[in-house]
Amino acid sequence: MAEKKSKTIGILTSGGDAPGMNAAIRAVVRKSILDGMKVYGIQRGYTGLLNEELFEMDKHSVSDIIQRGGTILGTARCEEMRTEEGQKKAVDICNKFGIDTLVVIGGDGSYRGALALSRLGINAIGIPGTIDLDIACTDYTIGFDTAINTAMQAIDKVRDTSSSHERCSIIEVMGRNAGYIALWCGIANGAEDILLPEKYDYDEQKIVDNIINNRKHGKKHHIIINAEGIGHSTSMARRIEAATGIETRATILGYMQRGGSPTCKDRFYGSIMGAYAADIASAGKRDRVIAFRGGEVTDIDIEEALAMQKSIPEYQWEVSQALSR
Ligand code: F6P
């Protein structure tokens, strides 16, 4: 590993925002300055980098943000960064501002841009920020805890009205490619059925039989947690109502899951991972992704991190199935 200590950091947030990103930004900025480095905030992710939307940050730039949801830097999904031309332009802009290390807070997609820049000579450090928990190299991603608590509380509310009206409810939670939010809420909300993109072999007739059987035994509600990756909640509700004769409603929780004041856990993990990113940059480590593994903060080569695969833990899935019956 080349040990060239970083002098100037650029920091951006990219992809879907996540509560706790502000805590991570604050930690990167404050720890980098303490470690003797200069920091540029980059607005609107890679799009802002390519438009030179940069400003120098000091420790006051990150005052009063730890409790705020979203990201003070703004975020975007940037097509231009997928092109070689865009990547070269990004490197030229980093060089123009003297940025030797780029800290990227986001998910796998955002790390791919960072990896491209690292191959062109910019030190790239990723911090896992996504509500989806779908980054393979780490046990935790910033934003997940806030999102599942927001979803859990919303699902409890839907359950109240579902019981009063003796209805079946399909509640769709976020996770285009990953079912972690659905799995966690499915268990925490005591859902009768949980549908995940990773386990896309569910049988709708079995759900119908389950609803009818539960009703015979006096259950007043039936909660189905459906991950966004499976989707089609509204048409599913229509089919289930027709097959069971029980009123069925679909609720899509949507973007409310990405907002809100971060939980203590997201502020804590954001702060630790952000400070750690600044420390390894200052120590001259190159091209890493920060991770929490076995309760400890650590760092992994960015290329290796991107090659890792993640799947739903089998035992957790089994428990979710066993407890829902
Ligand atoms: O942040 C992750 C996530 O919420 C996914 O679950 C979802 O599929 C995606 O972002 C949608 O985000 P957008 O509509 O902003 O692209």
Side-chain angles (χ1 to χ4, degrees):
M1 186 188 307
E3 297 282 321
K4 191 167 162 268
K5 292 187 180 200
S6 177
K7 290 195 174 69
T8 305
I9 301 260
I11 178 170
L12 60 82
T13 46
S14 168
D17 64 349
M21 280 183 165
N22 284 330
I25 295 168
R26 174 177 176 269
V28 170
V29 171
R30 293 216 166 147
K31 197 69 173 70
S32 297
I33 291 169
L34 275 175
D35 290 344
M37 295 179 286
K38 189 170 171 178
V39 187
Y40 282 103
I42 301 162
Q43 287 165 318
R44 297 182 191 82
Y46 291 113
T47 306
L49 176 60
L50 294 172
N51 291 333
E52 297 193 27
E53 294 176 68
L54 289 84
F55 63 103
E56 194 175 337
M57 298 181 90
D58 62 26
K59 64 180 185 157
H60 303 296
S61 324
V62 289
S63 294
D64 199 27
I65 67 167
I66 197 164
Q67 76 286 8
R68 283 164 57 189
T71 156
I72 59 154
L73 293 174
T75 185
R77 301 190 196 271
C78 178
E79 283 307 313
E80 201 182 344
M81 260 304 284
R82 293 177 196 269
T83 67
E84 216 172 292
E85 209 186 343
Q87 292 157 8
K88 283 188 180 145
K89 187 175 168 193
V91 170
D92 288 344
I93 294 166
C94 285
N95 289 336
K96 178 173 164 185
F97 284 83
I99 294 171
D100 46 47
T101 296
L102 187 67
V103 175
V104 174
I105 309 175
D108 274 353
S110 311
Y111 297 166
R112 283 183 213 291
L115 175 64
L117 298 190
S118 78
R119 288 181 175 146
L120 295 170
I122 302 292
N123 182 22
I125 298 185
I127 298 180
T130 165
I131 64 164
D132 287 340
L133 195 71
D134 61 347
I135 300 179
C137 69
T138 181
D139 297 341
Y140 193 71
T141 63
I142 299 163
F144 180 68
D145 190 57
T146 309
I148 51 173
N149 278 291
T150 301
M152 183 187 75
Q153 285 165 20
I155 294 163
D156 280 345
K157 292 182 171 115
V158 176
R159 183 182 174 136
D160 287 344
T161 172
S162 225
S163 298
S164 306
H165 288 262
E166 301 188 25
R167 280 176 179 156
C168 168
S169 278
I170 301 174
I171 304 163
E172 188 172 311
V173 297
M174 268 189 161
R176 193 180 290 156
N177 304 309
Y180 294 96
I181 298 176
L183 175 72
W184 278 63
C185 287
I187 291 176
N189 290 98
E192 277 67 33
D193 281 288
I194 305 167
L195 310 179
L196 315 181
E198 294 89 342
K199 305 274 177 193
Y200 196 46
D201 56 354
Y202 72 93
D203 176 355
E204 212 163 282
Q205 187 55 45
K206 240 165 101 185
I207 298 175
V208 166
D209 295 343
N210 197 14
I211 296 168
I212 294 171
N213 195 36
N214 281 344
R215 191 50 62 100
K216 274 190 201 141
H217 289 92
K219 222 172 203 182
K220 288 196 170 147
H221 62 263
H222 189 103
I223 303 292
I224 302 168
I225 310 279
N226 186 29
E228 179 192 355
I230 291 191
H232 305 291
S233 296
T234 308
S235 53
M236 198 186 289
R238 274 199 295 270
R239 285 195 302 275
I240 287 180
E241 179 165 315
T244 60
I246 294 167
E247 271 191 326
T248 302
R249 297 282 191 272
T251 304
I252 298 168
L253 296 185
Y255 291 98
M256 67 178 290
Q257 294 161 96
R258 279 218 311 233
S261 178
T263 59
C264 179
K265 187 167 176 175
D266 280 323
R267 298 178 198 195
F268 180 84
Y269 278 89
S271 301
I272 300 289
M273 293 205 246
Y276 190 87
D279 285 344
I280 64 167
S282 152
K285 271 198 171 184
R286 295 189 67 82
D287 309 327
R288 317 296 291 171
V289 173
I290 314 299
F292 253 91
R293 301 177 115 187
E296 292 291 337
V297 65
T298 184
D299 55 283
I300 293 149
D301 175 75
I302 193 166
E303 197 145 4
E304 269 174 45
L306 275 168
M308 291 178 183
Q309 302 287 329
K310 189 167 189 169
S311 55
I312 295 285
E314 208 45 45
Y315 185 69
Q316 294 176 15
W317 172 247
E318 277 170 26
V319 169
S320 78
Q321 297 305 290
L323 301 187
S324 64
R325 295 285 165 254

